[in-house]
Amino acid sequence: MTTPDPDGLLAEQLLRLTRRVHRIQKRHLQQRILGITPAQSRLLRTLGEYDAPPRMADLAGRLEVVPRAVTTLVDGLEANGQVRRAPDPTNRRVIRIELTDQGRETLRELHGARRSAAEEILAPLTDVERRVLGTLLDTLVDGGSGGEGQC
């Protein structure tokens, strides 16, 4: 007879939750008929975090992907009018990626889709449970950096 593995169960629950979140967010994106993939939406959200248009290499680093993957995403978004490539004013060899007006509007729609997906996912939880979950998720995302190395 084997004993239950509570950490294994938690890991499985986290994986199932991640898949559920992805499915729900994808459905909310499709309902808004934005015509972009989840990977493109992630790139748009990342672009929205910059104060000035970033280089492709900056985006690749932030997204933790190879530069070629960013090029493919930018190609698709550029073809749809969401972003544009612009030369760097100080170094003509550098290309920066800018959101267009249409890209900014899509980004607003993305935020709305993510909010509605989050509302659906979190609906079963009370306000107190949501705060506790937020605290626990912050701890996991940060890797427990406040207590690493301590016994």
Side-chain angles (χ1 to χ4, degrees):
M1 183 169 170
T2 61
T3 54
D5 176 10
D7 289 340
L9 177 60
L10 281 174
E12 180 60 31
Q13 288 172 310
L14 285 171
L15 290 172
R16 287 178 37 219
L17 177 61
T18 300
R19 288 190 295 265
R20 181 169 184 255
V21 167
H22 181 75
R23 276 192 319 271
I24 289 171
Q25 286 185 341
K26 187 175 178 180
R27 180 170 38 82
H28 281 262
L29 281 174
Q30 288 170 339
Q31 288 172 348
R32 292 180 184 248
I33 312 170
L34 298 175
I36 61 172
T37 66
Q40 289 173 329
S41 72
R42 184 170 174 233
L43 187 133
L44 282 176
R45 288 191 320 271
T46 302
L47 265 174
E49 296 170 0
Y50 283 92
D51 293 329
R55 300 172 307 139
M56 295 269 232
D58 299 329
L59 288 169
R62 178 88 56 99
L63 293 169
E64 298 179 346
V65 298
V66 296
R68 178 70 188 120
V70 172
T71 300
T72 300
L73 292 172
V74 168
D75 287 347
L77 290 169
E78 189 174 39
N80 290 336
Q82 310 289 334
V83 301
R84 72 176 146 258
R85 288 174 166 91
D88 184 294
T90 61
N91 183 347
R92 67 181 186 182
R93 293 175 295 163
V94 174
I95 300 296
R96 302 226 173 235
I97 308 304
E98 300 177 335
L99 281 170
T100 62
D101 289 341
Q102 183 178 344
R104 280 186 279 283
E105 177 58 33
T106 300
L107 193 53
R108 282 189 286 278
E109 287 288 326
L110 286 171
H111 288 305
R114 288 173 61 88
R115 269 192 307 279
S116 61
E119 288 169 10
E120 180 180 337
I121 292 162
L122 298 172
L125 302 180
T126 66
D127 288 343
V128 171
E129 290 170 328
R130 288 176 188 211
R131 283 194 295 277
V132 169
L133 177 61
T135 300
L136 293 170
L137 290 173
D138 282 344
T139 300
L140 292 174
V141 168
D142 295 340
S145 57
E148 282 184 324
Q150 298 176 359
C151 295

